[in-house]
């Protein structure tokens, strides 16, 4: 997966999206937000953690928090298996690890294939729309482009 | 082919010129950040060509040029100047500088000058 | 390249700012200082133009011109305040552009207004200088030299040496073509009896333009072989084309001053005109852009090898590596103890290893140490700017600016200091009338000091303002429900501590300069991020001191490792008095249902970490776990946990900021540490536990 990531970064990054699946649904974010993928992560738990936070991991000397995307999107939690991995993303200049069910692929999505999300897409418990756009690909495949910043709501402190 | 001594008080300029010469077959043998060091380096390294900035602390390029020409009347020194320094450039040319290049310049400019003297 | 550009110019601007601040106190600049400003602007102009940052080049050029004038002819006293303000604003502009470049954004600022101002200022200074000195301030350069008249040399009249016409053009954009022309003439002169140029006058910009438009023509009379003349011309740099033709000495196009007067024309055939094309045409070669955004290391010139500049990333890697070596060494020693090796040779070797690694750690830390002066000087500028904004005259005193701290600390010290000083300037220091009314000096004073005391660096910001207002703080605290005790039971110290509570700062206090009224709790958190602490002392009417304590060796700590459930902790050894398995008989509950324990004749509170941290997969029964007697700030108490693992030397790392949004309560955890087995252990801060 890392070679795929590396190769795709060398080319023009404008329309490339990183696709992963959670609870059987394909989600996606812009490729330049993803810095790496960790398989078999060693997660250390922290106390008083909210349900979506599984703990912290050591990324070559830097400590980053690990968030379970399932729980963040309010699906039921599940057992981790060998396909579970941590996607390291840059959100508001912070590195955050995100656990997903499966990493799918990196692909080009031309702007014409993107549409505004209808009312039925992912919403937070309070109705906040987490999806910025919907992509309609060949074969009727639908991918939700997540507004990652909204999902994680990283507060930038002064 | 030629051994070059780069003289400029700004590290940025020294690195810029060094970079511009990277793909040529000239060799940067030394750097100096003022006229005084330039003379020491000239004596120590005997470069073929010197690129000499004009405005520098301790001893400026003009003074250093004159002293290097004293040491070696055949010394090849290219002054590096900015617009507005006509008087000093003129004096440099009259004092034996082989020529001058005016900032800003690109790789082909400095290369053409050095190639010609090498 | 960009990195060097940014770094070097930031350094130059910083030193320039210091020069300006010093000069402003004297209300003008000395000759040396003026020269310094000129030089800095000249360097920035050169570098900016090389990088294609034309707007920056134009601004620095405008300032350079102004200071060239001032360097030569001075500036009237009355003009200086305006000049200082303008240059400070320009420095702010340059710094802003460099910051943008650092953030990989475009340097898209437009200094057009400022450039105009500088041009106007130049005109004003010229006019004012003329007025006061009654002499014309001419071009800001030129000792008047006699113009080398590019014309005649003493030659024997009627010499029969041949005449040649040399025509040449310089490469486009080679600039100062008139000076280049002088150079060619200079080299030809020693080979010629007579020499004249067209244009004849080469000392103005117009002549350069003429040469660009029409080319340069040099007429010479010389006995030398024309090939030699050609060779000399050919050596000229930035020559595009040239030609050398024989001409008749009395040809009319030859300037009168050197033209042959006699009619007799040598009937020899003219040399076949040889138009020699030289030197390649100029082709635009794109300067190759740097491949990676990697910073490069630069080595000093051979003459001065005392310092080298090192990429900070490498230092971070080095420090991380040292940290891991410390941890690894600790793991090795511990496994030996656990396995039960009793071996003198091993002990000696282990001790030697530990000692060597300590030395290594100290040296690496010292490489990263920098004097706090850069941060301090930034504050100086802040005090000056704020003084103008809030109209208060404040002296700024720096003590101990050469004190060294880790680079990481320097990076994180700037923001807290800025907030504290803003508060002092805004709310602490009174305005002139109030001060005079209270018998104080009209100028306020802010002192910024740094000193090392044992293991810490103490940075203090003191003002001689009106001090913290106990009544006002209490009122706010009561309003916000931050405190319940009756007023007469609260000591001054406790009152002052209230300002650090989250939610204390009020938005109403947003002054134009303090911006969003950043609360002291945020300032303290920032300081905690570098392992430091912040406290405040105040005397009403006399002033306030903010004291920042930062541990010097902030990364490595000796600690005891233990676990509660599946979470691993490290508690600093200095906080631990002892650890035992508890006796059930020693434990009881008091009237408030708090657990207490009798231990070594004393009674202590017992804190179950599993309760405190809401860890439910740990040991429940007291007899299955362990207790530790811990201490902080003179207070002792006991904590209950599962298992004790052993003593380790660990490297402290900060927890990610986002974690605060992922947990409900992290009070009592000051950081974490990565151990050799890859687990991350949380570092317990006993002092905070006590407060709960």
């Amino acid at each position: 997966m890392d070679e795929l990531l590396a190769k795709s970064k060398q080319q023009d990054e404008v329309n490339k999206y990183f696709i992963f699946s959670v609870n059987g649904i394909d989600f996606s974010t812009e490729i330049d937000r993803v810095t790496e993928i960790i398989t078999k992560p060693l997660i250390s738990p922290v106390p008083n953690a909210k349900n979506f936070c599984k703990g912290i991991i050591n990324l070559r000397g830097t400590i980053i928090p690990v968030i379970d995307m399932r729980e963040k999107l309010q699906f039921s939690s599940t057992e981790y298996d060998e396909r579970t991995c941590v996607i390291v993303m840059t959100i508001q200049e912070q590195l955050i690890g995100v656990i997903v069910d499966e990493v799918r692929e990196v692909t080009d999505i031309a702007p014409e294939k993107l549409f505004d999300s209808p009312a039925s897409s992912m919403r937070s418990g309070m109705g906040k729309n987490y999806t910025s756009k919907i992509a309609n690909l060949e074969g009727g495949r639908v991918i939700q482009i997540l507004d990652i910043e909204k999902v994680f709501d990283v507060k930038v402190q002064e | 082919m030629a051994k070059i001594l780069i003289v400029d008080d700004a590290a940025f300029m020294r690195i810029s010129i060094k970079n511009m010469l990277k793909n040529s077959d000239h060799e940067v043998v030394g750097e100096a950040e003022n006229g005084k060091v330039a003379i020491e380096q000239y004596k120590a390294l005997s470069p073929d060509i010197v690129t000499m900035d004009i405005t520098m602390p301790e001893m400026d390029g003009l003074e250093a040029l004159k002293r290097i020409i004293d040491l070696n009347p055949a010394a090849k020194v290219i002054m590096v100047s900015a617009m507005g320094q006509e008087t000093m450039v003129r004096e440099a040319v009259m004092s034996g500088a082989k020529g001058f290049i005016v900032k800003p310049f690109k790789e082909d400019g400095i290369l053409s000058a050095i190639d010609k003297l090498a | 390249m960009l990195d060097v550009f940014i770094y070097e110019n930031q350094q130059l601007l910083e030193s320039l700012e210091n020069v300006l601040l010093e000069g402003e106190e004297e209300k003008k600049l000395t000759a040396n200082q003026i020269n310094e400003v000129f030089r800095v602007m000249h360097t920035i102009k050169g570098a900016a133009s090389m990088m294609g940052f034309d707007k920056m080049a134009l601004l620095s050029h405008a300032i350079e011109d102004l200071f060239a004038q001032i360097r030569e002819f001075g500036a009237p006293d009355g003009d200086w305040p305006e000049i200082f303000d303008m240059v400070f604003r320009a420095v702010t502009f340059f710094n802003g552009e460099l910051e943008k470049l650092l953030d990989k954004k475009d340097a898209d600022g437009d200094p057009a207004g400022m450039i105009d101002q500088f041009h106007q200022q130049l005109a004003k200074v010229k006019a004012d200088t003329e007025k006061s000195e009654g002499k014309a301030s001419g071009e800001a350069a030129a000792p008047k030299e006699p113009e080398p008249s590019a014309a005649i040399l003493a030659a024997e009249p009627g010499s029969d040496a041949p005449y040649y016409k040399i025509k040449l053009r310089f490469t486009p954009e080679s600039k100062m073509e008139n000076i280049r022309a002088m150079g060619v003439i200079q080299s030809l002169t020693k080979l010629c009896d007579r020499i004249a140029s067209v244009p004849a006058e080469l000392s103005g910009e117009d002549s350069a333009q003429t040469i660009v438009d029409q080319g340069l023509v040099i007429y010479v009379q010389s006995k030398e072989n024309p090939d030699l003349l050609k060779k000399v011309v050919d050596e000229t740099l930035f020559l595009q084309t040239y030609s050398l033709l024989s001409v008749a000495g009395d040809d009319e196009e030859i300037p009168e001053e050197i033209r042959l007067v006699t009619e007799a024309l040598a009937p020899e055939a003219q040399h076949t005109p040889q138009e020699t094309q030289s030197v390649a045409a100029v082709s635009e070669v794109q300067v190759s852009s740097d491949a990676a955004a990697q910073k490069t290391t630069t080595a000093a010139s051979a003459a001065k090898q005392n310092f080298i500049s090192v990429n900070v990333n490498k230092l971070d890697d080095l420090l991380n590596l040292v940290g891991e070596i410390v941890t690894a060494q600790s793991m090795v020693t511990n496994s030996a103890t656990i396995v039960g090796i009793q071996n003198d040779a091993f002990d000696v070797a282990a001790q030697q290893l530990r000692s060597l690694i300590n030395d290594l750690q100290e040296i690496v830390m010292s490489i990263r140490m920098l004097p706090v002066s850069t941060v301090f000087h930034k504050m100086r500028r802040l005090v000056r700017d704020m003084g103008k904004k809030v109209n208060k005259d404040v002296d700024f005193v720096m003590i101990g600016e050469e004190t060294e701290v880790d680079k990481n600390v320097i990076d994180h010290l700037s923001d807290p200091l800025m907030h504290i000083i803003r508060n002092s300037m805004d709310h602490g220091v009174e305005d002139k009338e109030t001060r005079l009314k209270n018998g104080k000096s009209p100028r306020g004073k802010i002192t910024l000091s740094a000193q090392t005391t044992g293991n810490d660096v103490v940075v203090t910001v003191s003002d001689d303002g009106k001090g913290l207002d106990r009544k006002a703080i209490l009122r706010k605290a009561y309003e916000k429900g931050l405190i319940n005790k009756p007023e007469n039971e609260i000591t001054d110290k406790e009152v002052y501590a209230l300002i650090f509570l989250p939610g204390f700062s009020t938005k109403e206090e947003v002054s134009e300069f303090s911006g969003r009224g950043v609360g002291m709790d945020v300032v303290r958190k920032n300081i905690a991020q570098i392992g430091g602490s912040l406290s405040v002392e105040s005397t009403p009417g006399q002033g306030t001191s903010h004291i920042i304590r930062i541990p010097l060796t902030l990364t490595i700590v000796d600690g005891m490792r233990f676990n509660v459930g599946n979470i691993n902790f490290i508690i600093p050894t200095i906080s631990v008095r002892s650890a035992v398995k508890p006796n059930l008989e020693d434990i009881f509950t008091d009237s408030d249902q708090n657990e207490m324990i009798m231990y070594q004749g004393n009674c202590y509170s017992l804190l179950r970490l599993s309760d405190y941290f809401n860890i439910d997969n740990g040991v429940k029964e007291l007899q299955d776990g362990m207790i530790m007697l811990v201490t902080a700030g003179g207070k002792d108490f006991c904590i209950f946990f599962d298992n004790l693992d052993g003593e380790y030397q660990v490297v402290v790392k900060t927890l990610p900021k986002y974690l605060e949004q992922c947990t409900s309560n992290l009070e009592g955890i000051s950081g974490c540490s990565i151990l050799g087995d890859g687990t991350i252990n949380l570092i317990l801060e006993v002092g905070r536990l006590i407060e709960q």
Side-chain angles (χ1 to χ4, degrees):
Chain A
M1 214 354 121
D2 268 334
E3 313 93 64
L4 181 59
L5 201 53
K7 196 155 45 142
S8 60
K9 285 209 186 260
Q10 283 161 20
Q11 297 150 10
D12 187 11
E13 297 188 351
V14 172
N15 289 322
K16 281 199 164 10
Y17 288 85
F18 184 91
I19 304 180
F20 53 91
S21 75
V22 178
N23 207 38
I25 305 175
D26 278 347
F27 295 98
S28 160
T29 179
E30 310 89 354
I31 190 69
D32 53 354
R33 191 185 281 291
V34 179
T35 55
E36 67 189 274
I37 300 164
I38 305 174
T39 49
K40 301 194 206 319
L42 178 54
I43 305 175
S44 299
V46 296
N48 288 325
K50 298 189 181 157
N51 67 323
F52 54 81
C53 175
K54 295 304 167 194
I56 46 184
I57 55 177
N58 166 25
L59 191 64
R60 290 182 302 282
T62 309
I63 313 290
I64 67 172
V66 178
I67 310 296
D68 188 327
M69 191 60 113
R70 269 190 162 267
E71 309 234 18
K72 206 62 165 94
L73 298 179
Q74 295 175 328
F75 295 116
S76 54
S77 61
T78 183
E79 286 286 316
Y80 295 151
D81 64 15
E82 68 278 359
R83 274 180 312 222
T84 314
C85 41
V86 172
I87 306 174
V88 181
M89 298 192 194
T90 308
I91 308 173
Q92 299 276 58
E93 294 177 16
Q94 294 192 40
L95 286 175
I96 297 181
V98 182
I99 300 177
V100 301
D101 288 354
E102 199 182 334
V103 168
R104 305 281 255 145
E105 74 236 58
V106 172
T107 189
D108 281 315
I109 302 180
E112 311 88 68
K113 297 242 167 62
L114 295 174
F115 301 89
D116 285 332
S117 56
S120 57
S121 57
M122 283 315 305
R123 287 187 175 277
S124 73
M126 290 180 297
K128 246 210 240 166
N129 194 349
Y130 281 156
T131 307
S132 62
K133 293 244 183 270
I134 302 272
N136 278 329
L137 300 187
E138 295 77 34
R141 192 172 166 210
V142 172
I143 303 182
Q144 300 200 35
I145 317 283
L146 287 175
D147 184 341
I148 291 285
E149 248 129 50
K150 264 226 191 89
V151 175
F152 287 92
D153 190 26
V154 176
K155 297 203 194 325
V156 181
Q157 234 171 18
E158 256 300 301
Chain B
M1 285 184 280
K3 296 194 290 179
I4 317 284
L5 170 64
I6 301 178
V7 183
D8 198 302
D9 60 330
F12 171 81
M13 283 306 299
R14 297 197 302 269
I15 297 178
S16 288
I17 297 179
K18 204 155 57 160
N19 273 355
M20 290 179 183
L21 299 180
K22 221 175 8 179
N23 296 324
S24 71
D25 52 3
H26 305 297
E27 185 196 347
V28 175
V29 297
E31 299 176 30
E33 68 270 20
N34 64 51
K36 213 158 105 185
V37 178
I39 295 170
E40 289 164 25
Q41 291 285 65
Y42 188 87
K43 287 194 224 166
L45 304 166
S46 294
D48 300 311
I49 299 174
V50 180
T51 69
M52 182 81 82
D53 181 29
I54 293 190
T55 315
M56 292 184 290
E58 291 247 12
M59 183 194 293
D60 66 27
L62 195 47
E63 181 63 37
L65 163 74
K66 291 179 182 170
R67 300 216 191 166
I68 288 177
I69 300 278
D70 277 343
L71 287 172
N72 173 12
K76 296 179 182 171
V77 181
I78 303 174
M79 306 306 288
V80 176
S81 108
M83 289 305 294
Q85 294 185 299
E86 281 81 359
T87 310
M88 298 198 81
V89 175
R90 178 160 79 189
E91 193 175 338
V93 165
M94 295 302 170
S95 305
K98 291 290 180 198
F100 60 93
I101 187 170
V102 182
K103 287 187 272 198
F105 54 84
K106 296 215 190 288
E107 191 175 303
D108 56 341
I110 190 74
L111 269 181
S112 80
I114 290 181
D115 283 342
K116 193 141 210 201
L117 291 180
Chain C
M1 279 319 311
L2 185 59
D3 306 314
V4 182
F5 175 80
I6 296 173
Y7 175 72
E8 191 171 43
N9 288 315
Q10 276 179 333
Q11 299 286 93
L12 287 171
L13 287 165
E14 198 181 297
S15 75
L16 174 62
E17 209 171 45
N18 288 335
V19 166
L20 291 171
L21 285 166
E22 275 171 35
E24 207 182 23
E25 278 176 34
E26 305 296 322
K27 306 264 199 302
K28 67 192 296 201
L29 293 175
T30 64
N32 275 344
Q33 290 169 325
I34 292 170
N35 227 355
E36 187 63 31
V37 178
F38 177 87
R39 227 173 44 77
V40 169
M41 285 301 141
H42 177 82
T43 306
I44 293 181
K45 178 185 83 173
S49 67
M50 290 291 285
M51 293 286 297
F53 297 128
D54 293 332
K55 297 219 171 85
M56 279 203 261
L58 282 171
L59 177 57
S60 47
H61 192 152
I63 304 175
E64 185 192 20
D65 281 346
L66 172 62
F67 275 80
Q69 163 77 13
I70 298 178
R71 188 167 69 166
E72 200 67 33
F73 299 99
D77 288 349
D79 286 352
W80 277 111
E82 180 66 32
I83 293 175
F84 278 118
D85 271 343
M86 285 168 59
V87 184
F88 272 121
R89 280 202 291 274
V91 169
T92 305
F93 172 81
F94 284 122
N95 275 327
E97 297 301 280
L98 291 176
E99 278 296 322
K100 287 182 201 167
L101 292 171
L102 249 185
D103 286 340
K104 310 234 195 301
K105 302 203 194 67
D106 286 328
D108 55 4
D110 186 6
M114 261 192 277
I115 294 176
D116 282 338
Q117 279 185 334
F118 276 103
H119 288 150
Q120 284 166 26
Q121 185 67 263
L122 175 57
K124 182 169 189 292
V125 168
K126 270 193 188 156
D128 288 343
T129 313
E130 270 177 52
K131 239 190 304 186
S132 66
E133 302 195 7
K135 65 175 181 236
S137 44
E139 300 240 327
K144 308 282 182 205
E145 269 169 35
E147 306 294 348
S149 93
I152 315 145
L153 287 181
E156 312 103 62
S159 144
D160 57 2
Y163 279 72
Y164 303 98
K165 172 184 178 185
I166 300 168
K167 197 158 179 232
L168 61 88
R169 276 186 190 271
F170 295 107
T171 52
E173 295 304 313
S174 53
K175 298 271 186 280
M176 293 197 213
E177 290 80 358
N178 54 330
I179 315 271
R180 298 192 189 280
M182 287 186 201
V184 183
I185 292 168
Q186 162 95 326
S187 341
L188 286 172
T189 301
K190 33 192 185 288
L191 303 172
C192 302
D193 298 336
R194 288 176 167 154
I195 186 167
S197 67
V198 176
E201 185 56 60
L202 292 173
S203 56
E205 275 169 31
D206 300 333
S207 53
Q209 190 57 48
T210 311
I211 297 174
V212 168
D213 295 334
Q214 300 166 14
L216 171 72
V217 181
I218 308 176
Y219 296 95
V220 304
Q221 183 188 31
S222 168
K223 302 193 228 346
E224 299 287 344
N225 187 329
D227 285 338
L228 177 58
L229 299 177
K230 271 198 230 163
K231 180 168 171 297
V232 166
V233 173
D234 196 23
E235 282 172 358
T236 310
L237 301 185
F238 298 104
L239 190 65
Q240 186 175 48
T241 58
Y242 76 94
S243 60
L244 182 143
L245 304 173
S246 294
V247 291
D250 57 358
D251 193 319
E252 268 175 16
E253 69 171 275
I254 299 182
E256 231 179 283
E257 305 88 49
I258 68 166
R259 199 188 310 157
L260 212 47
V261 176
T262 58
E263 287 295 291
L265 237 184
E268 68 241 39
Q270 288 188 347
H271 294 262
T272 357
Q274 283 174 342
E275 295 262 343
T276 320
Q277 296 290 341
S278 80
V279 184
V282 173
S283 55
E284 277 308 316
V285 174
Q286 286 296 80
V287 175
S288 57
S289 56
D290 268 5
Q294 307 256 329
K295 301 177 189 179
T296 52
T297 4
T298 49
S301 59
K304 200 164 79 169
Q305 270 165 340
N306 297 330
F307 293 96
I308 57 175
S309 53
V310 177
N311 185 319
V312 167
N313 290 337
K314 288 190 185 173
L315 284 184
D316 284 342
D317 288 345
L318 187 56
L319 191 63
N320 272 340
L321 198 52
V322 169
E324 288 181 39
I325 292 177
V326 165
T327 309
Q329 165 245 290
S330 189
M331 300 287 293
V332 165
T333 328
N334 263 32
S335 351
T337 320
I338 288 168
V339 170
I341 296 178
Q342 286 283 33
N343 184 329
D344 284 345
F346 176 83
D347 284 344
V348 169
Q351 185 50 37
Q352 167 81 327
L353 184 61
R354 198 174 164 120
S355 162
L356 284 173
I357 291 178
N358 271 347
D359 288 348
L360 178 63
Q361 181 215 329
E362 269 181 34
I363 294 178
V364 171
M365 299 288 317
S366 76
I367 293 178
R368 295 170 52 96
M369 302 279 266
L370 293 171
V372 290
S373 49
T374 30
V375 181
F376 277 24
H377 282 273
K378 225 165 126 180
M379 298 306 129
R380 193 173 168 194
R381 172 81 200 263
L382 175 66
V383 170
R384 176 222 177 248
D385 287 348
M386 270 210 81
K388 300 215 165 203
K389 272 262 161 80
V390 301
N391 209 4
K392 292 177 187 169
D393 259 341
V394 176
D395 282 331
F396 183 73
V397 177
M398 291 187 292
I399 303 176
E401 59 181 288
E402 64 285 349
T403 310
E404 289 191 345
V405 295
D406 184 87
K407 180 178 194 318
N408 194 36
V409 172
I410 301 253
D411 291 342
H412 288 96
L413 201 51
S414 172
D415 279 350
L417 284 181
M418 273 205 289
H419 291 313
I420 294 173
I421 289 182
R422 275 183 185 154
N423 279 344
S424 277
M425 294 283 304
D426 229 355
H427 310 298
V429 177
E430 318 92 323
D431 60 60
K432 208 187 296 194
E433 294 78 45
T434 317
R435 288 180 69 89
L436 286 173
K437 221 191 303 178
N438 290 332
K440 285 179 161 178
S441 62
R443 287 178 70 95
K445 182 153 84 157
I446 292 188
T447 310
L448 181 56
S449 77
Q451 64 181 92
T452 25
T453 61
N455 266 335
D456 295 337
V457 170
V458 180
V459 176
T460 313
V461 185
S462 303
D463 67 58
D464 66 349
K466 64 180 194 257
L468 293 176
D469 188 341
R470 186 194 150 99
K471 279 207 176 40
I473 293 176
L474 272 178
R475 196 183 336 127
K476 219 195 277 184
Y478 282 133
E479 258 173 39
K480 291 169 174 280
L482 294 173
I483 191 166
N484 284 322
K485 271 156 83 165
E487 195 181 325
N488 52 0
E489 280 179 34
I490 312 179
T491 64
D492 279 351
K493 207 159 167 213
E494 288 173 308
V495 173
Y496 299 150
L498 288 171
I499 65 175
F500 292 115
L501 291 176
F504 181 81
S505 79
T506 55
K507 303 294 183 285
E508 301 113 53
E509 277 181 357
V510 170
S511 73
E512 187 210 313
F513 221 99
S514 290
R516 273 168 267 182
V518 170
M520 292 306 282
D521 66 318
V522 173
V523 177
R524 186 162 74 164
K525 261 205 197 105
N526 284 343
I527 293 174
Q529 266 191 317
I530 45 175
S533 64
L534 172 62
S535 64
V536 130
E537 284 166 12
S538 178
T539 311
Q542 289 186 16
T544 310
S545 286
H546 293 78
I547 302 149
I548 303 174
R549 253 200 173 71
I550 306 159
L552 268 182
T553 45
L554 45 68
T555 44
I556 299 190
V557 135
D558 284 326
M560 311 283 300
R561 186 186 190 200
F562 65 88
N563 75 298
V564 180
N566 62 345
I567 299 189
N568 292 302
F569 294 91
I570 302 261
I571 179 169
T573 314
I574 52 169
S575 302
V576 180
R577 283 200 186 280
S578 54
V580 306
K581 256 190 138 28
N583 283 325
L584 274 182
E585 309 91 65
D586 296 332
I587 299 183
F588 57 96
T589 49
D590 72 2
S591 44
D592 290 323
Q593 299 304 315
N594 296 322
E595 274 182 307
M596 310 284 284
I597 181 168
M598 286 298 299
Y599 183 59
Q600 293 176 344
N602 287 317
C603 184
Y604 299 101
S605 297
L606 181 63
L607 178 64
R608 288 188 189 238
L609 291 179
S610 49
D611 287 346
Y612 178 76
F613 285 121
N614 292 312
I615 304 170
D616 52 8
N617 52 6
V619 160
K620 305 271 192 298
E621 299 305 316
L622 286 165
Q623 64 267 28
D624 295 331
M626 291 190 65
I627 58 162
M628 249 197 262
L629 179 61
V630 299
T631 179
K635 295 214 195 99
D636 296 358
F637 64 101
C638 286
I639 56 175
F640 176 68
F641 57 95
D642 294 12
N643 287 309
L644 191 57
D645 184 15
E647 190 171 0
Y648 290 82
Q649 212 179 30
V650 298
V651 178
V652 177
K653 296 217 172 268
T654 44
L655 290 167
K657 233 191 313 180
Y658 186 61
L659 207 58
E660 289 161 25
Q661 291 175 243
C662 304
T663 55
S664 52
N665 179 17
L666 277 178
E667 287 298 330
I669 296 179
S670 64
C672 63
S673 181
I674 306 164
L675 251 58
D677 59 2
T679 58
I680 303 175
N681 295 226
L682 304 172
I683 298 180
L684 217 53
E685 195 184 350
V686 181
R688 309 293 266 144
L689 287 184
I690 286 186
E691 288 170 18
Q692 305 303 318

